[in-house]
Amino acid sequence: MGGKNKPPALGGLAAAFQKAGLASKEQAERIEAEKQARDRQSHLASQGLAAPGAKSGGSYREQVAAMNAWFAELLRREPDAGARVFGGRTEAVSLVGKQATLPELEAAEKALGVKLPPSFAEFLLELGSVSFLNPWDDATTAVGRLAAASASLEAEVALTAERFIRAVAQDGTSLDPGAPRRLLHVADHENGEAVFALCARRTAAGEAPVFLRRHDEPDELYDASSDFREWFRERLARLQDELQLRLKKGVPL
């Protein structure tokens, strides 16, 4: 899973420019990157959102860069311990695959039957998916996995529907037992436990609360966050604590 940014796949206009000899490969890639940035801004504007970074923590890419810079400094201070504990890994958060495109988001929304919460849609368009440095390589859910992962979670929760509704109520969220829950799988946690957005409950801005659910604890929900942006920021903070503790104890991944 490396953390290097891959150049975007060339879209129709950029590919046509390159094929016609009107742009070099680098120029065509820049054209495509600028187009993707415009698409993302257009999507955010359609959701009534400010530009990335206007809310707490900066853009998702900035948050990841800051986290990896912090980790690099941690390794610089203790290179021998870092190599022994982290097996030569140099990134706390690694990019996985490519950024999602607007057509991919629209296809996912059609398959899910719901609009994606704006903060999660923004994440998909900006980064795609990331993995966190821990023994399970926990990762956020890529756009291509959203429908299947969410359907699987829905099926599992259906077995304990009443207990799930009571667990949500403990966090101040009421659900109609007869209405769809609309669970959106947004990340994995420790060997496949689900982090999900509860899309049956939305704010005026279209955001949905995010929770961690362990399949063997249907009466409990963890890490309640108001939206995906807050969850991601808090997940990075927890990752810092986890990495520092692992380094202190000298426990290898």
Side-chain angles (χ1 to χ4, degrees):
M1 296 191 209
K4 295 182 179 179
N5 295 332
K6 296 181 180 179
L10 297 184
L13 181 61
F17 277 5
Q18 186 180 1
K19 186 175 182 179
L22 299 176
S24 66
K25 182 175 182 291
E26 291 75 16
Q27 289 170 326
E29 287 175 353
R30 188 176 68 251
I31 290 169
E32 183 60 24
E34 289 172 350
K35 178 182 180 299
Q36 288 187 8
R38 288 194 302 273
D39 285 346
R40 184 162 64 85
Q41 290 299 330
S42 175
H43 178 79
L44 295 177
S46 72
Q47 300 290 329
L49 292 178
K55 295 187 178 180
S56 55
S59 72
Y60 291 113
R61 190 173 295 278
E62 289 167 346
Q63 291 181 64
V64 168
M67 182 69 186
N68 284 334
W70 169 86
F71 187 58
E73 177 60 20
L74 192 72
L75 296 180
R76 188 190 67 78
R77 292 200 304 267
E78 299 189 56
D80 294 338
R84 184 176 68 255
V85 172
F86 301 115
R89 304 275 287 274
T90 59
E91 291 184 318
V93 183
S94 299
L95 300 184
V96 181
K98 301 184 297 184
Q99 299 161 297
T101 64
L102 281 177
E104 287 174 330
L105 257 62
E106 291 165 356
E109 290 176 335
K110 183 176 181 180
L112 290 162
V114 297
K115 293 287 290 182
L116 296 175
S119 60
F120 185 56
E122 178 185 342
F123 177 84
L124 293 171
L125 289 167
E126 188 174 341
L127 295 181
S129 179
V130 301
S131 68
F132 304 104
L133 181 57
N134 63 22
W136 306 273
D137 284 328
D138 291 337
T140 59
T141 311
V143 66
R145 288 188 56 234
L146 285 178
S150 299
S152 177
L153 177 60
E154 285 275 14
E156 182 180 325
V157 168
L159 300 176
T160 56
E162 291 183 6
R163 296 167 76 177
F164 175 81
I165 290 171
R166 286 199 299 270
V168 171
Q170 292 176 16
D171 287 285
T173 302
S174 61
L175 289 178
D176 178 353
R181 290 174 294 274
R182 301 197 183 285
L183 308 181
L184 175 67
H185 192 290
V186 298
D188 291 313
H189 178 82
E190 294 184 3
N191 207 24
E193 304 291 6
V195 178
F196 67 93
L198 181 60
C199 294
R201 302 297 296 178
R202 300 278 192 142
T203 66
E207 295 292 359
V210 174
F211 303 92
L212 163 65
R213 178 182 185 271
R214 300 179 186 276
H215 72 276
D216 58 348
E217 295 184 74
D219 297 323
E220 300 290 342
L221 295 175
Y222 298 90
D223 301 339
S225 304
S226 61
D227 57 27
F228 181 82
R229 178 177 288 278
E230 180 180 86
W231 175 83
F232 187 75
R233 184 177 67 249
E234 292 175 349
R235 182 67 188 91
L236 293 185
R238 290 196 302 274
L239 182 61
Q240 279 191 323
D241 292 340
E242 292 163 8
L243 295 176
Q244 286 178 311
L245 183 61
R246 185 169 290 277
L247 189 60
K248 181 179 179 179
K249 292 185 174 181
V251 180
L253 287 174

